[in-house]
Amino acid sequence: MTACPLPGEAAPEDDAPLPSALIAVRPERLGAARAGDEEFVAEEVPVALEYNGLSHAVMLATPLDLEDFALGFSLTEGLLASPADLLDVEVRSRPNGVALQLRVTARCEALLKERRRSMAGRTGCGLCGTDNLDQVFRPPQRPVPPLPEGLRDAGALVPALSRAMRELAQAQPLQQRTGGIHAAAWCGVEGEVALVREDVGRHNALDKLIGAMARAGIDASQGFAAVTSRASFEMVQKAALAGMPMLAAVSAPTHLAIRTAQACGLRLAGFVRDGRATLYA
């Protein structure tokens, strides 16, 4: 498998094959582990998002399901009003990463020119380059829908959440190979996992999921999202903007995430594990 080159390494030609999501390595093992055994690690590469030729953001992401990422990121960042605003996307390999070249409507291009700013994302990025406080809070344009009827009863909620996390753990091929990947899943009212996306970044995984749902025409109001991470403010905001009624996280939320969920009307569950959960909003 070929990795995207690091600074100082020889770079592939423009539009060379995309880097793999998994890279084989032979690390030096200490202690009782056998030396020289091959293992796989997750790749992360700079991914540039370009809208009608305008460079807008550079994120670090796993080079997989990048079309989903392009659409999901654009929707949750408020760069597109609907999936129909994305006319086309091309994934191009570059010497130092990957370029996502999005062709969007003239309306969105005008908005992008107004909002254009340089952004540099990190694996655990927070506000991804937002340059003033007024840009931080972006309430959903539509009210967050209520929980589907099958999830409104507290007695049904814990079994559904538990099933979602159990099935999500079994539906992460990259995580099973590397131990270093986050995932986000779309789950039905009984907790059945219908769609999963993985990435080194928890926000990226959720963006990929939202993009995949939009491309498939999935109604975001008829289930909930489950994530293998803590619940940050940005993840709550992305879920609310996508029209999801609930976000369930295996770990803790932040206080800002709780306040944001309460303000949006999003149900927020944390510490979903071992047949238990904590509702924060």
Side-chain angles (χ1 to χ4, degrees):
M1 297 182 182
T2 303
C4 185
L6 295 173
E9 294 182 346
E13 295 297 322
D14 188 35
D15 290 333
L18 290 172
S20 172
L22 296 178
I23 308 298
V25 298
R26 289 185 177 275
E28 178 183 0
R29 300 184 185 276
L30 306 178
R34 291 183 299 176
D37 285 353
E38 183 179 84
E39 67 178 58
F40 288 93
V41 296
E43 179 63 293
E44 57 179 345
V45 300
V47 176
L49 292 103
E50 303 170 359
Y51 296 81
N52 290 4
L54 297 174
S55 179
H56 181 73
V58 178
M59 308 296 291
L60 284 174
T62 301
L64 190 68
D65 300 313
L66 291 176
E67 294 89 347
D68 294 337
F69 178 59
L71 178 56
F73 177 88
S74 301
L75 290 170
T76 62
E77 290 296 310
L79 305 176
L80 304 181
S82 76
D85 286 323
L86 178 58
L87 304 177
D88 186 41
V89 58
E90 293 188 10
V91 181
R92 300 285 189 179
S93 180
R94 292 291 184 258
N96 292 314
V98 175
L100 301 182
Q101 298 177 335
L102 292 82
R103 186 165 62 89
V104 300
T105 60
R107 174 185 60 177
C108 291
E109 182 178 352
L111 174 64
L112 282 161
K113 287 180 178 178
E114 292 178 4
R115 293 184 54 186
R116 189 177 180 186
R117 61 185 184 270
S118 297
M119 300 196 306
R122 304 184 302 276
T123 298
C125 71
L127 297 176
C128 300
T130 299
D131 56 16
N132 69 68
L133 292 175
D134 292 338
Q135 295 176 349
V136 173
F137 297 97
R138 291 176 287 109
Q141 295 181 346
R142 297 177 298 275
V144 172
L147 280 174
E149 186 174 350
L151 290 170
R152 295 175 191 173
D153 178 63
L157 190 55
V158 170
L161 293 174
S162 298
R163 177 181 177 181
M165 288 301 178
R166 183 172 63 251
E167 291 190 6
L168 177 54
Q170 298 168 355
Q172 299 176 60
L174 296 184
Q175 168 65 10
Q176 291 166 5
R177 299 290 294 275
T178 68
I181 292 282
H182 281 299
W186 178 245
C187 311
V189 294
E190 295 182 356
E192 69 277 16
V193 169
L195 189 62
V196 177
R197 288 294 182 266
E198 294 183 276
D199 198 276
V200 290
R202 61 186 186 274
H203 304 132
N204 296 343
L206 185 56
D207 275 334
K208 287 181 178 180
L209 176 68
I210 291 168
M213 291 173 61
R215 295 176 71 195
I218 295 175
D219 185 352
S221 69
Q222 297 304 304
F224 63 95
V227 296
T228 60
S229 65
R230 65 183 178 89
S232 67
F233 151 76
E234 190 176 23
M235 295 185 77
V236 166
Q237 183 161 261
K238 287 178 182 291
L241 288 167
M244 297 174 170
M246 180 168 66
L247 177 67
V250 73
S251 191
T254 66
H255 189 218
L256 183 57
I258 294 171
R259 301 197 326 261
T260 303
Q262 291 171 340
C264 292
L266 178 84
R267 183 65 65 94
L268 177 61
F271 294 111
V272 181
R273 57 183 78 168
D274 302 326
R276 59 184 174 86
T278 303
L279 290 180
Y280 293 92

